[in-house]
Amino acid sequence: MYPACIIAAERYNMTNKKKETKEPLITGTSPPGAAGLFAERERRLKDLEQLTLLSDVFMSVVLSDRNACQHVIRILMDDPGIELVSVRTQYVISKVISHGARLDVLAEDKKGVICHLEIEGADVADHARRTRFYGSVTDGEFLRKGRDYNELPERYIFYISRKDIWKDGYTVYEEEKRFRQTGKKHNDGSHLIYVNAEIDDGSRIAKLMKYFKTADPFDDSEGELSKRVRFLKTEEGGIEIMCEIMERIREEGRESGMKESHKKTAWNLEKMGMHLDTIAKVVEEDVSVVRQWLKPAK
């Protein structure tokens, strides 16, 4: 038998010989820093796996595909015959003086009906007034100067939330306008529908919301929507698109952290007695936004 020290030495030599034959292959094919790049890519892929359609950015990327968007709107509208002619995502409406908006998904069908899909904002305190504002800026965008009001298109807003924000146990809440005295419907061509992913009432929309919560690329139950999700999460071309988007999401996360910091600064400055206009200048934000921040502190 060999002494233990000789056996150990032989094992050491054999291990080193294996390293000597393998290391040149690794270092010869991977440039300096490649390990870090591979690790970064793996991290991004793991982040990608976690994305759901309840992320406004990911939903916008998924539904930029007309067929995927058409699939979702047909279910939300309960109309399998809808044909979309255009889809715009992360659509920015800028205003010189008043507050602008960025709409998650804005689609138009061949009849001229406008469908706006919006994911609930995590920091929104007043959902009703948010949807009111989005409706007004959308209408303004589609009614040009010199046009008659009857040229305003029929417009639907689907406000999609993670939780049942109205807490009455329904998957869908549809707003309906009526005259108080007569009870007759008041139809101005605008429609507002709240949809949540918390309540499962067994409906087709609830089934769609289940898929929104997972965005499982191996779940083929949602037709064109499933195809689009699978492409973005598992296929090379889609993964490349999403890696760029993930960087954008992280940047927005950093901006969100900065926003929270600005909120705290605004609260502290208000406690010191500083005027609202001055606070807005310090945090470099619109006065109306700062006023909204300060409401809970009063």
Side-chain angles (χ1 to χ4, degrees):
M1 294 181 65
Y2 289 101
C5 61
I6 297 177
I7 295 174
E10 288 181 349
R11 286 177 178 170
Y12 176 81
N13 291 332
M14 289 177 64
T15 301
N16 281 344
K17 285 179 180 178
K18 289 179 180 178
K19 286 182 179 179
E20 287 173 4
T21 58
K22 290 183 178 180
E23 282 178 358
L25 295 176
I26 297 173
T27 56
T29 57
S30 300
L37 293 175
F38 293 149
E40 173 66 13
R41 179 177 172 80
E42 287 301 313
R43 183 175 65 80
R44 289 187 177 187
L45 290 175
K46 287 181 180 179
D47 289 344
L48 176 56
E49 289 175 4
Q50 302 303 315
L51 282 178
T52 75
L53 289 164
L54 295 175
S55 157
D56 58 350
V57 176
F58 186 56
M59 184 189 74
S60 298
V61 177
V62 172
L63 298 191
S64 63
D65 177 79
R66 186 173 61 85
N67 290 331
C69 187
Q70 185 170 271
H71 174 85
V72 171
I73 289 176
R74 282 176 172 178
I75 294 171
L76 293 175
M77 298 279 286
D78 192 23
D79 185 351
I82 288 176
E83 294 183 24
L84 298 183
V85 295
S86 69
V87 177
R88 285 166 278 185
T89 60
Q90 297 294 306
Y91 183 71
V92 176
I93 299 176
S94 300
K95 302 293 182 181
V96 176
I97 299 176
S98 58
H99 193 59
R102 185 176 66 181
L103 312 183
D104 290 338
V105 178
L106 199 62
E108 182 180 4
D109 74 4
K110 66 178 184 179
K111 296 179 181 178
V113 176
I114 302 299
C115 290
H116 170 197
L117 277 62
E118 193 69 27
I119 293 292
E120 167 201 11
D123 61 344
V124 175
D126 195 329
H127 302 284
R129 280 179 169 77
R130 183 190 186 200
T131 53
R132 169 187 166 185
F133 173 73
Y134 277 137
S136 67
V137 295
T138 304
D139 286 344
E141 189 74 358
F142 284 92
L143 187 65
R144 301 302 184 185
K145 290 182 179 179
R147 298 293 183 90
D148 293 331
Y149 293 112
N150 62 8
E151 295 183 58
L152 269 174
E154 201 83 2
R155 185 253 301 155
Y156 289 79
I157 295 178
F158 292 94
Y159 190 74
I160 302 171
S161 61
R162 294 163 181 78
K163 299 292 185 180
D164 176 10
I165 58 179
W166 303 118
K167 303 185 186 306
D168 285 317
Y170 294 93
T171 301
V172 177
Y173 297 83
E174 185 171 356
E175 180 192 66
E176 186 177 272
K177 298 177 183 178
R178 291 181 179 272
F179 292 104
R180 179 181 298 173
Q181 288 76 13
T182 64
K184 291 182 179 179
K185 290 184 179 180
H186 174 57
N187 183 14
D188 59 4
S190 65
H191 309 271
L192 172 60
I193 299 97
Y194 294 93
V195 181
N196 71 81
E198 180 180 12
I199 304 300
D200 182 1
D201 61 3
S203 66
R204 182 65 182 91
I205 291 179
K207 181 176 179 290
L208 177 65
M209 288 300 103
K210 275 187 176 181
Y211 184 83
F212 265 51
K213 286 195 292 185
T214 63
D216 181 354
F218 303 106
D219 178 353
D220 294 328
S221 64
E222 292 296 340
E224 294 295 333
L225 178 62
S226 294
K227 289 181 183 178
R228 177 66 169 170
V229 169
R230 183 167 57 252
F231 167 71
L232 291 170
K233 284 195 172 187
T234 67
E235 297 180 23
E236 192 60 33
I239 290 172
E240 288 177 5
I241 293 171
M242 287 310 304
C243 281
E244 295 178 8
I245 297 298
M246 291 301 295
E247 185 56 39
R248 176 176 154 195
I249 292 173
R250 276 190 288 275
E251 180 61 31
E252 290 187 353
R254 288 190 286 269
E255 290 177 0
S256 178
M258 186 177 295
K259 182 178 179 181
E260 286 303 313
S261 177
H262 286 174
K263 279 185 180 182
K264 290 179 181 178
T265 301
W267 292 337
N268 290 332
L269 293 177
E270 187 202 30
K271 289 177 182 178
M272 294 169 59
M274 189 175 286
H275 192 272
L276 180 64
D277 290 337
T278 306
I279 295 173
K281 289 179 181 178
V282 170
V283 298
E284 298 181 340
E285 188 55 87
D286 189 85
V287 172
S288 62
V289 174
V290 176
R291 183 182 292 111
Q292 184 67 32
W293 289 354
L294 297 177
K295 276 185 178 180
K298 292 183 177 180

